[in-house]
Amino acid sequence: MPSKVYVTGLGIISAMGAGVDETLKSFSTGKTFVRHPEILKTLLKDQFPLGEVRFSNEELKSLLQIKTKQSYSRTSLLALMAAKEALSSAGLLESPLGIGVISGTSVGGMDKGEYLYDGFIRRKGKFNLHDAFVHDCGDSTNKIVEYLGTRAYSSTISTACSSAANAIMLGARLIKSGKLQRVIAGGTDALARFTLSGFRSLMILSDEHCKPFDQHRKGLNLGEGAGYVVLESEEILDKENRTPICELSGYANTCDAFHQTASSADGNGAWLAISQALELAGLYPNDISYINTHGTATPNNDLSESMAMKRVFGEIMPPFSSTKAFTGHTLGAAGGIEAVFSALSIRDNIVFPNLHFQDKMDETGLIPQTVFENQFEIKHVLSNSFGFGGNNSSLVFSAC
Amino acid sequence: MLRKEIYINGFSSINPIKDLDEEGDVYRCVEPDYKNYIDTGSVRRLGKIQRIALVGAKMCLEDANLIVPDAIITGTGLGCLSDTEKFLGNMLDEEAGLHSPTSFIQSTHNTISGQIAIMLKCHGYNNTYSHRGLSFERALEDACLLVEEGTENVLVGAVDEIPESTLRITQKIKTFHSETNKEEPVAGEGVHYFIIANSKLHENSIRLLGSSSLAEEVSYEDVVLECNRVLFCAGIEPNEVDTIVLGNNPGLTEPHYQQLKEELFSHSSVLQFKNLVGESFTASAFGMILACKLLSGEVPDKRFYLKNNNSKAKTVLVYNHFKGTSHSFFILQNV
């Protein structure tokens, strides 16, 4: 019988703040933290509100006590903040040896790379050649390994918006197969002009605060951040007599295989991912207490995801919400940030609200949870992350 | 350690190898005859490396007598750079402008696995690893883990390209060879795919007996220790390894290759490959391709051979590293 996999630590940084406690306080304000950027230097700053982390790179380095002149992309600084908190909250910061690190990212060090390219190739503006070493996806993972001193297995996944969810899924599979006992898994992405311009070119950015699942939704708000969970085997928790936050009871990775940037109208890939994750968890749809949706507020995703949810849950739809109205869409970090939210949902019996919802979608008639709720016991949470290229991943967390 | 028997039922490689020795700063892929494998009309907007990857995937599936795999995994060190460079250029030209999204869409690392899935209508597990010099190794490990978990056929491979601007930057930071800096390896591109399966296709199928990696810069003793450990787990004595494939770059002083060849495998035939395909974060995948060719009875180009014992290859060890880090070992055998 493969070992169960438990969540024992949480770490997060986003527009809502640094750390779990600050994030929960931010949720209680009931207001979005998406606003026009102050740190990202972009000509589009007055046009699009973004979920920007309120710390500059220098401030992050200071918080992390990084004094070296080595290049750090913003993506890796965000990763370090969240990964450190996760390990600390699991009580493992002083004993990091042997802990696997699996991280997802889609931006990598592009926040630095785009300046390097402009300066070195196009001869416009200042650049630092050393930034070339931090451009690739693997760099932020290596920085986590180095900073935490794990000196063990590490890997980097890059599957757009499902990167972190896939990283967490891999972590669980490696633990179940006995290859690792402990893993830090999640993802990170920083804002970059490249990405902002890219999403704009797709015409899926909203110039207002996004409205997930609303009939009049106009698109997403881009965000940044990092979210990591510490996963541990049942065996090691039994041996050390420690109590986990919750169990990672199910997961699935499927492919929509429809179009590079659009999901199929009937949400086929999403339906498969949700169904398979539930099956692995040994759960029926009506066992789910809360769904933390992908809910980017694009016309396409929210319809596709709603259709998939209807196919799985039928008439008995659990409370669901998109927390992206608070944080923005953090791309490669989303699955990790939302895994943290899912674990908190179980730990504190919370259903997070879906901000800015006014009118239900004509096609589905679904109404998300619009107010903060903590009166009911949360037993099982489904978290969806659906990325470009049809990479659909779902995770199920369970109370234990 | 692999708990289940893992077979390689098909493989394909699109790479820079030409009849005449390549010269210059970079070895670029020889483009295949696209129309034999893919609908060129529907993929005309894709970047070159993505079109090549689609062909590589198709060729590999044909080799394995498969139409659709159960899962698709790609390892790529640097991702789809041509499209990245293109969109970056457009964005920097006019930051506030509205640009065509095509190259942005195609710049994401998972475009390759995604496009293959769209082409094949494959709804199974789909993943992309980008972990620098171990990108292919991580993809392969996941494929083997899937097979252990019960998946039948996994299409797993490695893709890396090196367009002009990236080449210039990597030459400047001395990662790769240039006219002014000849002490570094020559950059090379490649698309290599395998079908990893839980059962053999035919009597002469290839078995993947073991694989391992070491991320850091390590001593020769550590390399020997790990090499022996992987062999032991695979149930193979060092003297049973009749052929080794090494990832050394010709003419360069690099750790471990020479010593390993002379001390542990003085009895084996020795092949190299970076003299023909160049260096990249995923070059080790070609090492595995070469091992597969040998085990399939193919007689490789004599330019690969450093030492030829003229014996039929039965048990092959591949050892590669990327500039002293990201060491990997693969052990393959024909059944």
Side-chain angles (χ1 to χ4, degrees), chain A residues 42 136 154 156 255 388 391, chain B residues 95-96 110 123 131-132 138 142:
Chain A
T42 170
D136 72 293
S154 66
T156 315
C255 193
F388 276 173
N391 282 126
Chain B
E95 200 198 316
N110 63 327
H123 298 291
H131 195 59
R132 218 169 260 182
R138 293 293 180 257
D142 192 354

Side-chain angles (χ1 to χ4, degrees), chain A residues 42-43 122 129 133 136 138-139 142 153-154 156 158-159 173 177 179 200-201 253 255-256 260 388 391, chain B residues 3 93 95-97 99 101 105 110 115 123 125-128 130-132 138 141-142 146 148-149:
Chain A
T42 170
L43 296 177
R122 298 155 54 89
L129 214 47
F133 291 106
D136 72 293
D139 176 71
N142 288 347
Y153 183 90
S154 66
T156 315
S158 190
T159 55
R173 290 167 62 219
S177 74
K179 292 176 172 59
R200 179 162 179 251
S201 73
N253 167 323
C255 193
D256 202 29
Q260 194 60 29
F388 276 173
N391 282 126
Chain B
R3 296 216 187 97
D93 270 341
E95 200 198 316
H99 304 289
I105 295 166
N110 63 327
Q115 284 292 337
H123 298 291
Y125 183 95
N126 189 295
N127 216 339
T128 302
S130 184
H131 195 59
R132 218 169 260 182
R138 293 293 180 257
E141 282 161 23
D142 192 354
L146 282 176
E148 271 180 39
E149 291 165 342

Side-chain angles (χ1 to χ4, degrees), chain B residues 32-307:
Chain B
D33 196 354
Y34 295 104
K35 62 185 188 306
N36 287 341
Y37 296 96
I38 56 178
D39 171 13
T40 47
S42 67
V43 301
R44 72 190 180 286
R45 289 230 208 107
L46 288 181
K48 184 188 88 165
I49 204 69
Q50 289 140 23
R51 271 181 276 127
I52 294 178
L54 289 180
V55 172
K58 266 287 177 77
M59 283 168 65
C60 183
L61 286 165
E62 263 178 37
D63 195 38
N65 260 353
L66 265 184
I67 298 178
V68 190
D70 301 304
I72 298 167
I73 308 174
T74 302
T76 175
L78 293 175
C80 304
L81 287 169
S82 296
D83 283 297
T84 304
E85 284 182 13
K86 188 160 173 215
F87 192 79
L88 198 45
N90 290 345
M91 187 277 285
L92 292 168
D93 270 341
E94 203 199 326
E95 200 198 316
L98 188 61
H99 304 289
S100 156
T102 307
S103 46
F104 175 71
I105 295 166
Q106 291 167 184
S107 72
T108 60
H109 291 62
N110 63 327
T111 301
I112 296 161
S113 286
Q115 284 292 337
I116 295 172
I118 290 170
M119 174 178 75
L120 301 174
K121 299 202 181 348
C122 176
H123 298 291
Y125 183 95
N126 189 295
N127 216 339
T128 302
Y129 287 88
S130 184
H131 195 59
R132 218 169 260 182
L134 294 179
S135 299
F136 171 63
E137 285 71 10
R138 293 293 180 257
L140 183 64
E141 282 161 23
D142 192 354
C144 293
L145 185 57
L146 282 176
V147 169
E148 271 180 39
E149 291 165 342
T151 306
E152 282 184 32
N153 293 296
V154 184
L155 177 69
V156 59
V159 176
D160 260 310
E161 61 167 349
I162 184 123
E164 233 4 81
S165 295
T166 308
L167 180 64
R168 284 180 53 202
I169 293 172
T170 47
Q171 286 174 327
K172 185 76 181 173
I173 60 172
K174 298 189 168 63
T175 298
F176 292 127
H177 170 102
S178 66
E179 273 313 296
T180 51
N181 186 18
K182 301 190 188 203
E183 300 306 307
E184 304 300 336
V186 177
E189 299 181 331
V191 170
H192 318 292
Y193 273 97
F194 304 86
I195 287 289
I196 297 293
N198 66 352
S199 61
K200 55 186 164 172
L201 181 63
H202 46 59
E203 282 317 304
N204 298 325
S205 275
I206 300 164
R207 245 187 92 186
L208 179 64
L209 293 179
S211 71
S212 176
S213 62
L214 296 169
E216 306 289 311
E217 213 171 281
V218 288
S219 67
Y220 176 69
E221 287 68 37
D222 286 332
V223 168
V224 171
L225 252 166
E226 188 60 22
C227 188
N228 281 326
R229 192 193 67 81
V230 186
L231 286 169
F232 178 77
C233 290
I236 301 281
E237 297 286 326
N239 59 23
E240 286 177 69
V241 175
D242 51 70
T243 313
I244 59 171
V245 174
L246 299 178
N248 59 296
N249 285 282
L252 298 188
T253 308
E254 296 170 308
H256 313 325
Y257 291 119
Q258 186 76 6
Q259 217 175 345
L260 195 73
K261 176 178 96 184
E262 286 168 2
E263 293 183 14
L264 220 61
F265 299 105
S266 55
H267 53 281
S268 320
S269 292
V270 183
L271 287 86
Q272 62 179 352
F273 56 92
K274 289 182 185 169
N275 53 325
L276 296 177
V277 306
E279 178 72 275
S280 76
F281 282 139
T282 48
S284 59
F286 186 80
M288 196 156 123
I289 290 281
L290 191 50
C292 287
K293 284 180 189 272
L294 286 161
L295 293 168
S296 306
E298 242 184 80
V299 178
D301 191 308
K302 64 180 192 292
R303 290 175 292 174
F304 288 117
Y305 279 95
L306 285 173
K307 179 178 167 202

Side-chain angles (χ1 to χ4, degrees), chain A residues 207-221:
Chain A
D207 55 2
E208 293 168 359
H209 289 137
C210 70
K211 301 158 75 79
F213 298 103
D214 189 283
Q215 172 64 18
H216 307 288
R217 63 199 185 280
K218 294 204 296 182
L220 59 92
N221 302 138

